[in-house]
Amino acid sequence: MATVGGLRALPRWLLRGRWTPLPAGLCSRGLAGPGRPESEPRPTSTWQRDGIRNIVLSNPKKRNALSLAMLKSLQNDILHEAESKDLKVIVISAEGPVFSSGHDLKELTEEQGCNYHTEVFQTCSEVMMLIQNHPVPIIAMVNGLATAAGCQLVASCDLAVASDKSSFATPGVNIGLFCSTPGVALGRVVPRKVALEMLFTGEPISAQQALLHGLLSKVVPEERLEEETMRIAKKIASLSRPVVSLGKAIFYKQLPQDLRTAYCLTSQAMVDNLALRDGQEGIKAFIQKRKPIWSH
């Protein structure tokens, strides 16, 4: 991925007219989007403060299903001013007892047709890839059930903090729709046999099991979930965005490589990091025993 000023340029396919920037402001709840009546609220709400953008899945009556409208709204919120120096980290959470129940099955009936189904899964895949390709870390804050594409969303985030009441499943096989796309993200963060048991049986795993197998970064009591998630987000937001962005990009780039190639890529990344203003500022601050003054 090309970098500009230490930040990755977003892939062209993510910018091909599939989103509309949010209006400026701290809160975007209730704003209309493409093809949505003014009276119909957006299925996500978002606000940003001190470098942290909070995106909330806000359709608890439908168990925060990842309908096409929800996916496009989420994509829009993630992409909004993605290259802004004021954005340091994104937190995705949800209203209600269900983080997300996955795709809206009413959109997957034969009446909708193949073209519509294709758009649903293509948009979902774009959102999941966008999370990995985004220049800032994205954290899932989970309190409740995350199933199918909802579990896929958690697995796709860079970090995931969950309450001890949360659970995770890919139950599509039980209704005749194997969770193939959720399996892409799931199979990249948990051991293969764990992923396949979840995919073959559809049975849920607890938050503690999810932590053990690598789906989650941390599990905390429900009453501490927001506090701990924001502690992590604030720590990331206090650091150099160009450095964190470069680090995120190279981490994902080296993962699928063989050992020698991985070290070649990361060695060059270290050299590039040293060439950044913040790379030198951090070293000087350490030597001079003072706090660094980052470029932002």
Side-chain angles (χ1 to χ4, degrees):
M1 186 75 63
T3 62
V4 179
L7 302 181
R8 286 174 298 158
L10 291 173
R12 288 184 180 179
W13 60 266
L14 290 173
L15 305 174
R16 285 192 314 225
R18 295 186 62 85
W19 65 286
T20 301
L22 291 174
L26 291 178
C27 183
S28 65
R29 185 163 187 171
L31 298 172
R36 186 182 297 111
E38 291 290 337
S39 59
E40 184 179 342
R42 296 179 74 248
T44 63
S45 56
T46 181
W47 66 94
Q48 185 171 321
R49 187 177 298 112
D50 299 328
I52 302 170
R53 178 175 300 166
N54 290 272
I55 301 174
V56 184
L57 309 184
S58 302
N59 195 359
K61 290 183 179 180
K62 292 190 176 181
R63 297 162 63 89
N64 294 311
L66 295 181
S67 63
L68 185 57
M70 176 72 87
L71 288 167
K72 288 185 175 181
S73 188
L74 181 59
Q75 183 181 45
N76 180 57
D77 292 344
I78 294 172
L79 276 170
H80 177 62
E81 295 186 352
E83 298 293 348
S84 169
K85 293 181 179 179
D86 294 329
L87 178 62
K88 310 292 178 54
V89 62
I90 294 173
V91 176
I92 299 175
S93 60
E95 292 183 22
V98 177
F99 178 78
S100 176
S101 59
H103 292 293
D104 185 347
L105 295 180
K106 291 182 180 180
E107 294 187 341
L108 304 183
T109 61
E110 60 184 356
E111 286 78 13
Q112 295 292 343
C114 182
N115 289 340
Y116 188 87
H117 297 164
T118 298
E119 184 178 8
V120 168
F121 290 107
Q122 179 180 347
T123 304
C124 184
S125 297
E126 289 180 359
V127 169
M128 302 305 163
M129 289 187 286
L130 169 60
I131 290 172
Q132 181 172 315
N133 289 323
H134 200 280
V136 306
I138 299 181
I139 306 172
M141 182 170 74
V142 186
N143 188 29
L145 181 65
T147 67
C151 184
Q152 179 184 4
L153 178 58
V154 176
S156 297
C157 287
D158 302 306
L159 301 174
V161 183
S163 71
D164 51 12
K165 64 177 282 187
S166 301
S167 58
F168 306 84
T170 49
V173 68
N174 293 321
I175 60 166
L177 184 65
F178 197 86
C179 284
S180 296
T181 45
V184 174
L186 187 65
R188 281 164 168 73
V189 296
V190 306
R192 181 180 301 179
K193 287 179 172 57
V194 174
L196 287 173
E197 181 177 352
M198 292 178 67
L199 292 165
F200 288 158
T201 69
E203 294 177 352
I205 62 173
S206 68
Q208 289 295 343
Q209 289 173 307
L211 176 66
L212 175 66
H213 297 311
L215 178 58
L216 299 176
S217 311
K218 186 170 290 188
V219 174
V220 296
E222 182 179 10
E223 62 271 18
R224 288 189 50 227
L225 177 61
E226 183 174 1
E227 174 189 353
E228 181 59 21
T229 305
M230 294 310 294
R231 183 193 68 79
I232 296 171
K234 288 176 181 178
K235 172 61 179 178
I236 295 171
S238 73
L239 303 172
S240 164
R241 173 177 160 138
V243 171
V244 172
S245 180
L246 184 151
K248 175 177 173 176
I250 196 62
F251 177 80
Y252 284 115
K253 187 174 183 179
Q254 62 83 25
L255 273 181
Q257 307 299 328
D258 63 85
L259 193 62
R260 181 174 297 277
T261 302
Y263 272 118
C264 286
L265 289 170
T266 53
S267 294
Q268 184 58 51
M270 297 293 287
V271 174
D272 294 341
N273 196 155
L274 287 170
L276 292 176
R277 172 184 169 185
D278 284 354
Q280 289 301 310
E281 166 60 16
I283 292 173
K284 290 176 183 177
F286 180 82
I287 293 172
Q288 296 169 6
K289 298 182 180 180
R290 60 173 175 82
K291 289 186 177 181
I293 302 174
W294 303 126
S295 57
H296 60 262

